[in-house]
Amino acid sequence: MCGILAVFGCIDNSQAKRSRIIELSRRLRHRGPDWSGLHCHEDCYLAHQRLAIVDPTSGDQPLYNEDKTIIVTVNGEIYNHKALREKLKSHQFHTGSDCEVIAHLYEEYGENFVDMLDGMFSFVLLDTRDKSFIAARDAIGITPLYMGWGLDGSIWFASEMKALSDDCERFMSLLPGHIYSSKQGALRRWYNPPWFSEQIPSAPYDPVTLRQAFEKAVLKRLMTDVPFGVLLSGGLDSSLVAAVASRHLAGSEVACQWGSQLHTFCIGLKGSPDLKAAKEVADYLGTRHHEFYFTVQEGIDALEEVIYHIETYDVTTVRASTPMFLMSRKIKSLGVKMVLSGEGSDEIFGGYLYFHKAPNKEEFHQETCRKIKALHLYDCLRANKSTSAWGVEARVPFLDKEFINVAMSIDPEWKMIRPDLGRIEKWVLRNAFDDDQDPYLPKHILYRQKEQFSDGVGYSWIDGLKDHANKQVTDAMLMNASFVYPENTPTTKEAYYYRTIFEKFFPKNAARSTVPGGPSVACSTAKAVEWDAAWSNNLDPSGRAALGVHVAAYEEAVDVEPANLMNGAHPMQKGF
Amino acid sequence: MCGILALLGCSDDSQAKRVRVLELSRRLKHRGPDWSGLYQHGDCYLAHQRLAIIDPASGDQPLFNEDKTIAVTVNGEIYNHEELRQRLTNHKFRTGSDCDVIAHLYEEYGENFVDMLDGIFSFVLLDTHDNSFIAARDAIGVTSLYIGWGLDGSVWISSELKGLNDDCEHFETFPPGHLYSSKLGGFRRWYNPPWFSEDIPSTPYDPLALRHAFENAVIKRLMTDVPFGVLLSGGLDSSLVASITARYLAGTKAARQWGAQLHSFCVGLEGSPDLKSAKEVADYLGTVHHEFHFTVQDGIDAIEDVIYHIETYDVTTIRASTPMFLMSRKIKSLGVKMVISGEGSDEIFGGYLYFHKAPNKEEFHQETCRKIKALHQYDCLRANKSTSAWGLEARVPFLDKEFINVAMAIDPEWKMIKPDQGHIEKWVLRRAFDDEERPYLPKHILYRQKEQFSDGVGYSWIDGLKAHAAEHVTNKMMQNAAHIFPHNTPTTEEAYYYRMIFERFFPQNSARLSVPGGASVACSTAKAVEWDAAWSNNLDPSGRAALGVHLSAYDLQPPTTGAANMPSKIIHTLQGINEVTTAQELSIRS
C-alpha cells in the first residue's frame, strides 16, 4: 500500500501551506515508508508516500503523462497493467510502475476508464490543462479513501482520515466503486456489476468454474518485485489461498527473484487454535511457516495505536485488528512487504454463523450482497489498515472483480446451509476445491469448521479485553453513555473504552460518522437481525449467546467436537 | 539501533501512566520498527523499540537475568558478547541477543562492568531487589541518550529528546562514557582511556599497528544476522571502510547468510562529486553500488523532518544530515538494516582544514582530543539519528575503543600537516593503508583530496538552503535575533530558519541548552579559533571565507582530475568532507 493526500483549491500556495501538506502527508508515512513525493501545481497539491512493490527503483510518485500535464497520485495495484499498456501503444511510459497506466488511460478515454482497471486502488488525478480533477476508489473498497471539505473551499482526499481530519470542516469515507469528478461536482458509481441490484441469480453451481476463477484471482496477485507471503490462520479461506499460491508459485515470475518456497504467517496467544490449525496446513503444503505469539498484555498495550491506525471504534474490528497489527510488524521486520489474505469469502458465501437462520434463498442472497457492500467498513478496513500501519500490503483474492461476478451469479439455493444434505457453510467453495486426484487440502481441513467458541488467536484474548475495559470503565460512565455519545452509543464497557480512545484521536463529529453502527448479531447487518425474534433481545457483537449457544460451554475444554453447527465461532478468525 | 525509554520512581503505577509511557515510547518507534516491549515494576517502566540485527527471532526486549529480578533495556551492539558469555559460564542466557550479557554482568560484577563492554550502547538497568537502577552510555556517544527529571521526583532516560521533553522539568544530554547510578545519585565517568587527560603522547608512528587496529575495528562490526552495507562517499575514510569490509567479508557469518558481495551506498544531487568519486571506488572494489539522487527541493521539503529527528539546530549538522536522512530511507527500502560509516577519522587525525594552522603538535593533539569529546554532539549525533529515523543502524569503526587508543597514542608530530614533507592531512592513516603488494585503494584515491569547494553531495545544495532560508527570514527577524534567541543566537538567516523549526518541536529551555554553540571556524572548537587572528573576524560554520578562500571561486566549475596538483594552501568548505593538497608517492610494505 501507499499513502495519498491531495488538496485542491486551497487559495494558498505559500511555503507554510506546502510545509503543512508535507506534515499531513507524513501522517501516512507508515503506509509508504520507502519514499515520498509532492507535486504542487498552483493551489493544488498531490502528495504520496510510497511502498515500492512493483518497480522499486523507478516508480516514485506522483506519476505523469508524457508532457506532465496530467498528474496522478495512486495507492494501489493494477494487476492488468501490462494488458492495458498494450492498448496504449501510442503512449510513452516513464516508469515500470503498474500505476502509470492511469495517467495515460485518462488521456485516452477521459473520465470513463476506471472500470478498465483490474485491481485495488485509490487515486487522485489532476488535469492541469483545465485544472479539473477526479478521484476514485476500487470496486469493494479494499483500499481506503476519505474525502473532505475545507472552510476555504478546498477539497481534500486522503488514504486515511488522520491526514485530513484536522484541516477539513467535514469529511467522509469516499464510497467504494465511486468516482468524484470536479467537472460534475459529484460522486458517481462506476462499478455496476450484475449482483449490485441484489436480484436473485439463477446460474447453476459449477464447481470447476468457481475453482478456476479463484485460482486466477490468486495468480494475478502474485505480481510483485519484492518478498511476499500468505496470512494463514488455518481456516478454510486462508488455507485455500495458501494452497493455490503455493501451487502456482513455482511457475511465476516472482519465484525467480525470491525463491519458490512460500512463506506463511500466523499469530496467536501461545497454544491458540489458529496456531495449531495453521501449522497443520503449512506442514501439508510444505510452506516456510512463521508463528508469532503475543500476550494479552501486549495486545492491550497496542490498543491505542491500533485504533489510531484503523480509525474505527467498531468492537469486532478492533478485536480482530490487534493481532493482525502485531503480526504485521513482525512480518515487516522479516523484510516481507506484501501478503495475501483471505478476507471476503464469508461475505460472498454466507460463511457467518447467523446465515444458518436465513429463512430462504432470497434473504440469504440479499444479505450476502449487503455484506459485500459493507466490507469496506469492516474487514477491508481492518485488513488494509492493520497491515499498512507497518508498511505491509494485504491483497485479497476473494475480492477479485471477476471472481465476485462468478460467485455472486450462482443460484443462492446452493449456498444455503443444509445439514440434511451435508452442506455446511461455504459448501460451494469447499466442494469446488475437493479434488481427489490432486488435492488442494486434506479433506478434514477442507471440510472442517473452526474449533468451537474459538477466538482464533486464543481463548483468553477477548476475555482479557473485556476484563481490561471493565477495569477502566465504571458503571456510572456506561450509564451516561447515551448522553456522552448520542451517536452510535456504546452498549458495553469494551465498546465505551474503544470509543474514548477513538474520540481522543478523532474528536470531530464527521469522524464518528464514518464508523458504522446499528443493531447486529454475530456480524449480521441490521436487516438480518429480523431473521430470529430471539436475537433482538440479546444483541452482542460476538453473538455467542444470541446464536443459542450455551454460554457456559465457553469455559469448557478446547477440543470439543464442532458437532453443533450453531456454535459461537466468531467471524474475526477469517481474517488470518 | 533501538529506542529506549525508562521512567523510574514516578510514584504512579496507574493505567494512565502506562498508556503515557507507551505513547512516549512510540515517539522512538522509528529507531526500532521491528517490535516493542514494556516492562513495568511498580512505578518503574522500561520501554523498548527494537531493531532486530542480532537474533531477530528471540531477542525481544527488555531483557532479564535468570530469575527476572534484573531488567535491562538496551540500545546498542556489544561486539564482544560471545567472549563475555564465555566468562559467564555459570549464567543461563534466555536469548541469543548480544545485549543479554548486560544483566548477567551486573549480577556478577555490580555496577563496575561497563568498561568490559566493547561496542556502542545506551542502557538502563533496573535491579528490583532494591529498586536501584543504573544507566550508561558508550565511550564516545555513538548512540544517543538523554536524561531528565520530573517534578514528581522521577528520573527519565531516553534515546532521543522527544521521548522525555514534554514530561520533564529539566533534561540534558547524557554524557558519553558515563554511568548514572541511583545509589550514587549522580554521574561517574567509567571511560578513562590514556588520551582523555590530553597529555601529549610519544609513541612512534607504526603504520602496521594502526592498520591492524583499524582492520580489527571493521571486522568486529561485521557481526550481523541481517543484510548490511557501507556508506561510501568516495572520500578517504568511507573508501577505507569499504575496502576493508570487501576484503574480509568473505569469511564472515554475514556473508554466508547474505552473500559475499558488499553493497555500497552514495547520495548526491545528480552529477555531484561524491557520486562520481564513490562510483570510482565501488568499481575498483567490485561492490554492488547503489546511487541515490535527490533534488534541492527534496532536501528542503525534508528539513523539518530532519530537525525533528536529529534534535539540533547546529547548521553544519543539519546540512549534512539531510542527504544522509534521505539516503537512509532508500537504503531501508532495499531491506538493508545496518550500514558501516566513516565518522570519527577527521577528529582523530585532525582531518579538518583548520588543522593546517595548528601552531604546534601540542595544540594539534589537544584539539583532536577536544574534537573527539565533542563528537557526540555533532557527527555521532548526525550519523546515529539520520539513519535511525528510518530504522537503519550506523556503525562507526573509527570510533572503536581499541583503535582510538592506538591512534591517540601516536606522537602528534606525525599527524601535523607538513606540505614540505608531503604530509597532507590524515597522512598517518593514508600511509598505513598504502600497500604496494595488495593495494586497499588505488594510490590516487588513497591520496586524493575531495574536489575543490565540494559540498560533497552537490554544489548547489548549500546555496539552495541559504537561498531558501533567505526567502523566509527577513532582515527584521535577524535584527531581533539576539532578543528572541538570547542563547546561541543565530547569526545567519539559515541558522535562524533552522532555529525556528527546532523551537517549534522542542520549545523547552532545556532543549535549546542541549545543542552546542559558540565560536567556531570550519568546524573547529572555540579554542582553535585562537590559532589565527583573522578568523575571529569572520566566523562562518562552513569557514569558506575564514580559511582564506576566495569566495567567488565557489562558482567555478569543479576541477577535473588535475585537482591533485592544486596548491596546498587552498582550503575549502564543509565539515570534514574535504582533504587538501598533493598526492604523494608513499608506501609501506607489509
Side-chain angles (χ1 to χ4, degrees):
Chain A
M1 287 292 99
C2 303
I4 63 173
L5 171 68
V7 186
F8 298 106
C10 54
I11 335 181
D12 182 359
N13 57 0
S14 66
Q15 174 65 23
K17 195 71 184 182
R18 187 182 177 93
S19 290
R20 178 66 182 162
I21 306 280
I22 290 170
E23 190 185 331
L24 292 171
S25 176
R26 275 206 294 275
R27 296 189 187 174
L28 306 176
R29 193 155 71 185
H30 51 273
R31 301 183 64 85
D34 293 344
W35 199 242
S36 49
L38 172 65
H39 182 96
C40 173
H41 175 81
E42 294 167 21
D43 59 353
C44 303
Y45 298 85
L46 291 95
H48 190 261
Q49 301 282 346
R50 182 172 189 223
L51 180 72
I53 304 266
V54 175
D55 188 20
T57 47
S58 85
D60 288 343
Q61 292 203 22
L63 294 160
Y64 303 92
N65 66 336
E66 289 87 347
D67 62 2
K68 296 209 169 192
T69 51
I70 294 161
I71 304 137
V72 214
T73 181
V74 192
N75 164 28
E77 301 294 337
I78 311 300
Y79 302 121
N80 63 337
H81 77 108
K82 285 186 181 160
L84 292 170
R85 277 173 192 243
E86 290 296 311
K87 287 204 206 176
L88 297 162
K89 280 244 165 66
S90 56
H91 291 255
Q92 270 193 340
F93 287 80
H94 294 290
T95 74
S97 164
D98 53 304
C99 296
E100 195 183 333
V101 290
I102 293 174
H104 301 281
L105 284 169
Y106 173 83
E107 270 194 307
E108 201 68 31
Y109 303 98
E111 298 188 353
N112 298 311
F113 66 89
V114 184
D115 203 22
M116 297 166 72
L117 302 172
D118 183 12
M120 54 174 179
F121 53 81
S122 293
F123 68 82
V124 182
L125 179 151
L126 172 67
D127 186 340
T128 60
R129 293 169 305 192
D130 57 1
K131 268 182 87 174
S132 66
F133 59 88
I134 55 172
R137 187 174 178 197
D138 63 67
I140 306 298
I142 303 167
T143 62
L145 189 63
Y146 292 84
M147 178 177 189
W149 293 267
L151 281 174
D152 59 356
S154 54
I155 298 186
W156 297 60
F157 298 94
S159 292
E160 297 185 7
M161 196 161 75
K162 53 182 77 61
L164 52 70
S165 55
D166 287 341
D167 292 56
C168 288
E169 184 63 15
R170 211 188 130 241
F171 48 88
M172 60 180 204
S173 165
L174 196 149
L175 284 173
H178 280 65
I179 175 172
Y180 178 87
S181 152
S182 70
K183 282 181 193 156
Q184 299 179 354
L187 280 166
R188 172 169 64 80
R189 182 152 58 80
W190 62 262
Y191 180 54
N192 296 296
W195 67 270
F196 215 89
S197 66
E198 305 190 10
Q199 275 163 6
I200 313 307
S202 58
Y205 169 50
D206 177 356
V208 177
T209 309
L210 189 67
R211 182 202 293 183
Q212 282 168 353
F214 186 64
E215 295 210 52
K216 269 174 78 177
V218 173
L219 204 56
K220 69 172 83 149
R221 280 163 182 79
L222 300 183
M223 168 184 98
T224 167
D225 293 330
V226 297
F228 80 103
V230 175
L231 303 188
L232 179 62
S233 72
L236 173 69
D237 307 323
S238 65
S239 298
L240 279 179
V241 173
V244 175
S246 107
R247 181 170 291 198
H248 291 285
L249 183 57
S252 73
E253 228 175 276
V254 62
C256 311
Q257 290 186 65
W258 301 103
S260 56
Q261 204 187 6
L262 185 67
H263 288 259
T264 49
F265 307 100
C266 184
I267 190 166
L269 303 180
K270 259 192 200 162
S272 76
D274 275 5
L275 289 172
K276 192 171 148 243
K279 182 77 173 54
E280 190 185 3
V281 175
D283 286 347
Y284 176 79
L285 298 174
T287 67
R288 182 101 193 270
H289 189 59
H290 306 261
E291 284 190 352
F292 306 117
Y293 314 112
F294 74 107
T295 62
V296 172
Q297 183 65 57
E298 283 177 311
I300 287 170
D301 280 347
L303 278 180
E304 299 224 347
E305 215 180 347
V306 168
I307 291 171
Y308 173 74
H309 275 288
I310 65 174
E311 304 177 325
T312 183
Y313 49 83
D314 177 68
V315 170
T316 49
T317 304
V318 174
R319 288 174 179 176
S321 292
T322 306
M324 195 169 189
F325 172 88
L326 295 171
M327 173 166 59
S328 298
R329 189 174 189 180
K330 286 283 190 186
I331 290 172
K332 180 71 176 196
S333 81
L334 294 171
V336 170
K337 283 183 166 182
M338 188 270 279
V339 289
L340 302 180
S341 191
E343 279 78 10
S345 168
D346 284 321
E347 285 72 12
I348 294 169
F349 297 105
Y352 292 94
L353 290 161
Y354 70 89
F355 276 94
H356 280 254
K357 296 271 180 105
N360 53 52
K361 73 173 186 180
E362 288 78 12
E363 288 269 5
F364 189 106
H365 181 76
Q366 284 161 359
E367 176 72 3
T368 58
C369 293
R370 286 190 297 263
K371 288 294 287 175
I372 297 171
K373 289 176 188 173
L375 261 170
H376 69 107
L377 299 168
Y378 298 104
D379 285 17
C380 284
L381 177 147
R382 165 173 59 71
N384 185 284
K385 289 180 178 168
S386 307
T387 53
S388 293
W390 300 103
V392 174
E393 170 171 313
R395 297 185 179 175
V396 283
F398 280 108
L399 297 179
D400 183 82
K401 276 201 293 187
E402 274 306 303
F403 177 74
I404 295 179
N405 283 344
V406 171
M408 291 305 286
S409 68
I410 298 170
D411 182 339
E413 187 60 41
W414 291 93
K415 294 186 182 170
M416 294 280 285
I417 297 152
R418 299 282 301 275
D420 52 323
L421 300 173
R423 288 191 206 152
I424 61 173
E425 331 80 41
K426 301 194 276 192
W427 177 85
V428 291
L429 180 64
R430 299 175 199 266
N431 185 60
F433 284 90
D434 193 347
D435 186 331
D436 283 325
Q437 254 85 31
D438 189 8
Y440 288 82
L441 293 169
K443 279 232 170 30
H444 73 280
I445 294 174
L446 192 60
Y447 286 102
R448 87 169 150 202
Q449 305 183 242
K450 281 273 198 180
E451 321 262 335
Q452 202 178 9
F453 312 126
S454 152
D455 307 332
V457 297
Y459 299 107
S460 46
W461 169 232
I462 289 175
D463 291 341
L465 283 173
K466 288 184 171 173
D467 288 347
H468 178 73
N470 287 343
K471 273 187 236 153
Q472 310 302 321
V473 179
T474 63
D475 292 341
M477 287 156 89
L478 197 60
M479 227 153 64
N480 293 330
S482 64
F483 300 106
V484 180
Y485 302 121
E487 188 181 353
N488 286 348
T489 306
T491 56
T492 64
K493 290 186 173 178
E494 189 187 3
Y496 190 103
Y497 182 64
Y498 300 155
R499 185 64 171 271
T500 54
I501 298 172
F502 179 89
E503 297 279 341
K504 185 166 61 144
F505 293 122
F506 309 106
K508 288 192 178 170
N509 266 326
R512 77 187 61 104
S513 301
T514 63
V515 179
S520 166
V521 60
C523 292
S524 79
T525 67
K527 178 83 182 138
V529 174
E530 297 168 12
W531 289 353
D532 189 317
W535 289 349
S536 54
N537 301 321
N538 191 352
L539 292 172
D540 175 271
S542 82
R544 273 175 205 155
L547 289 167
V549 179
H550 195 237
V551 173
Y554 186 69
E555 310 296 338
E556 288 171 17
V558 173
D559 289 327
V560 181
E561 273 305 304
N564 181 0
L565 291 178
M566 287 304 293
N567 70 41
H570 187 272
M572 71 180 280
Q573 55 254 22
K574 74 205 161 323
F576 348 113
Chain B
M1 288 294 103
C2 306
I4 63 172
L5 174 69
L7 165 55
L8 303 142
C10 60
S11 317
D12 182 355
D13 61 356
S14 67
Q15 172 68 16
K17 198 69 177 182
R18 186 181 178 95
V19 166
R20 178 65 180 162
V21 173
L22 286 167
E23 189 184 331
L24 292 170
S25 174
R26 279 204 294 275
R27 296 189 187 172
L28 308 176
K29 190 162 71 180
H30 51 273
R31 298 182 65 86
D34 293 344
W35 199 241
S36 52
L38 173 64
Y39 171 77
Q40 181 183 358
H41 178 78
D43 64 349
C44 296
Y45 301 80
L46 301 184
H48 191 263
Q49 300 282 346
R50 182 173 189 222
L51 179 72
I53 304 267
I54 308 283
D55 187 19
S58 83
D60 289 343
Q61 293 202 23
L63 294 160
F64 302 94
N65 67 335
E66 288 89 345
D67 63 0
K68 293 211 167 191
T69 51
I70 295 164
V72 207
T73 180
V74 193
N75 163 29
E77 301 294 334
I78 311 301
Y79 302 123
N80 63 339
H81 75 108
E82 282 177 4
E83 192 190 313
L84 292 169
R85 278 172 192 245
Q86 300 289 326
R87 288 208 220 172
L88 297 162
T89 41
N90 56 332
H91 289 254
K92 279 218 288 209
F93 290 85
R94 291 163 180 278
T95 75
S97 165
D98 54 305
C99 296
D100 209 354
V101 290
I102 294 173
H104 300 279
L105 284 169
Y106 173 83
E107 269 194 308
E108 200 68 29
Y109 303 97
E111 297 188 353
N112 297 308
F113 65 89
V114 184
D115 202 22
M116 298 166 71
L117 301 173
D118 183 11
I120 49 177
F121 52 82
S122 294
F123 67 81
V124 181
L125 178 150
L126 175 69
D127 185 341
T128 61
H129 295 110
D130 55 2
N131 259 356
S132 68
F133 65 89
I134 58 171
R137 188 175 179 195
D138 63 67
I140 307 297
V142 177
T143 60
S144 54
L145 195 64
Y146 294 83
I147 183 167
W149 293 269
L151 283 174
D152 55 0
S154 55
V155 178
W156 296 65
I157 290 156
S158 171
S159 290
E160 298 186 4
L161 197 146
K162 56 183 78 62
L164 52 69
N165 66 316
D166 286 336
D167 293 59
C168 290
E169 183 64 14
H170 174 75
F171 51 89
E172 54 195 52
T173 303
F174 194 106
H178 280 67
L179 173 83
Y180 180 92
S181 152
S182 69
K183 284 180 189 153
L184 285 167
F187 291 105
R188 176 165 63 79
R189 182 152 57 80
W190 62 263
Y191 180 55
N192 294 294
W195 66 269
F196 215 87
S197 67
E198 304 188 13
D199 288 343
I200 314 305
S202 58
T203 313
Y205 170 48
D206 175 355
L208 274 184
L210 190 67
R211 185 201 287 181
H212 290 149
F214 189 58
E215 292 196 314
N216 275 334
V218 173
I219 290 164
K220 69 173 84 151
R221 279 163 182 77
L222 302 183
M223 170 185 97
T224 169
D225 293 331
V226 299
F228 79 103
V230 293
L231 302 188
L232 180 62
S233 72
L236 173 69
D237 307 325
S238 67
S239 299
L240 280 179
V241 170
S243 171
I244 296 165
T245 306
R247 184 169 290 198
Y248 292 100
L249 183 59
T252 64
K253 184 178 157 211
R256 287 196 295 281
Q257 290 186 64
W258 302 104
Q261 215 186 356
L262 183 64
H263 289 259
S264 55
F265 306 99
C266 185
V267 68
L269 302 180
E270 225 154 308
S272 76
D274 275 6
L275 290 175
K276 193 171 144 243
S277 316
K279 180 78 169 57
E280 191 186 1
V281 176
D283 286 348
Y284 177 79
L285 298 174
T287 64
V288 182
H289 188 59
H290 306 263
E291 281 189 0
F292 305 118
H293 303 166
F294 74 105
T295 63
V296 173
Q297 185 65 58
D298 287 336
I300 288 171
D301 281 347
I303 288 282
E304 299 208 5
D305 213 8
V306 168
I307 293 173
Y308 174 73
H309 275 287
I310 65 173
E311 305 176 326
T312 184
Y313 48 84
D314 178 68
V315 170
T316 46
T317 304
I318 292 167
R319 289 174 179 176
S321 292
T322 306
M324 195 168 188
F325 173 89
L326 294 171
M327 170 166 60
S328 298
R329 188 176 190 179
K330 285 284 191 186
I331 291 172
K332 180 68 181 207
S333 82
L334 294 171
V336 170
K337 282 184 166 182
M338 188 271 279
V339 289
I340 307 183
S341 189
E343 281 75 13
S345 168
D346 285 319
E347 285 71 14
I348 294 169
F349 296 105
Y352 292 95
L353 292 161
Y354 70 90
F355 276 94
H356 280 253
K357 297 270 179 105
N360 53 51
K361 75 172 184 181
E362 288 78 12
E363 288 268 5
F364 189 106
H365 183 74
Q366 284 161 1
E367 176 71 4
T368 57
C369 292
R370 285 190 296 264
K371 288 293 290 177
I372 296 171
K373 289 174 186 172
L375 261 171
H376 70 104
Q377 294 178 303
Y378 297 101
D379 285 17
C380 284
L381 178 147
R382 166 175 56 75
N384 183 283
K385 289 181 180 167
S386 307
T387 51
S388 293
W390 301 103
L392 183 67
E393 170 169 314
R395 295 184 179 174
V396 284
F398 281 108
L399 297 178
D400 183 80
K401 274 201 294 186
E402 273 306 302
F403 177 73
I404 295 180
N405 282 344
V406 171
M408 292 305 287
I410 299 170
D411 183 340
E413 188 63 36
W414 290 93
K415 292 184 184 171
M416 293 282 286
I417 297 153
K418 297 175 180 166
D420 50 324
Q421 295 174 32
H423 288 197
I424 62 173
E425 332 79 36
K426 299 194 278 191
W427 176 84
V428 293
L429 180 64
R430 297 176 199 268
R431 182 158 186 266
F433 285 91
D434 195 344
D435 185 332
E436 298 270 303
E437 252 106 278
R438 242 187 115 202
Y440 286 83
L441 293 169
K443 277 233 163 54
H444 73 279
I445 293 174
L446 191 59
Y447 286 100
R448 87 167 149 204
Q449 343 167 208
K450 280 275 202 176
E451 318 266 335
Q452 205 182 6
F453 313 124
S454 152
D455 306 332
V457 297
Y459 298 108
S460 45
W461 170 231
I462 289 174
D463 291 342
L465 283 174
K466 288 183 170 173
H468 178 75
E471 271 172 52
H472 295 95
V473 178
T474 63
N475 290 338
K476 251 193 217 157
M477 288 156 94
M478 288 308 295
Q479 267 163 20
N480 293 329
H483 301 292
I484 299 172
F485 304 118
H487 178 77
N488 285 347
T489 306
T491 57
T492 63
E493 288 158 336
E494 190 187 3
Y496 192 104
Y497 183 71
Y498 299 153
R499 185 64 172 271
M500 288 194 295
I501 297 170
F502 180 89
E503 297 279 340
R504 184 148 53 86
F505 291 126
F506 310 108
Q508 299 86 357
N509 196 40
S510 293
R512 74 185 62 103
L513 294 175
S514 72
V515 178
S520 167
V521 60
C523 293
S524 79
T525 66
K527 177 83 184 137
V529 174
E530 297 166 14
W531 290 352
D532 189 322
W535 288 351
S536 54
N537 302 322
N538 192 351
L539 292 172
D540 176 87
S542 81
R544 272 175 208 157
L547 289 167
V549 180
H550 198 252
L551 259 180
S552 64
Y554 186 70
D555 299 322
L556 294 176
Q557 287 301 304
T560 47
T561 44
N565 292 321
M566 295 304 289
S568 63
K569 272 299 213 185
I570 289 186
I571 302 176
H572 36 93
T573 48
L574 243 193
Q575 166 140 8
I577 319 189
N578 352 292
E579 293 97 46
V580 198
T581 60
T582 46
Q584 300 295 324
E585 294 292 316
L586 290 160
S587 67
I588 53 171
R589 290 187 172 81
S590 55

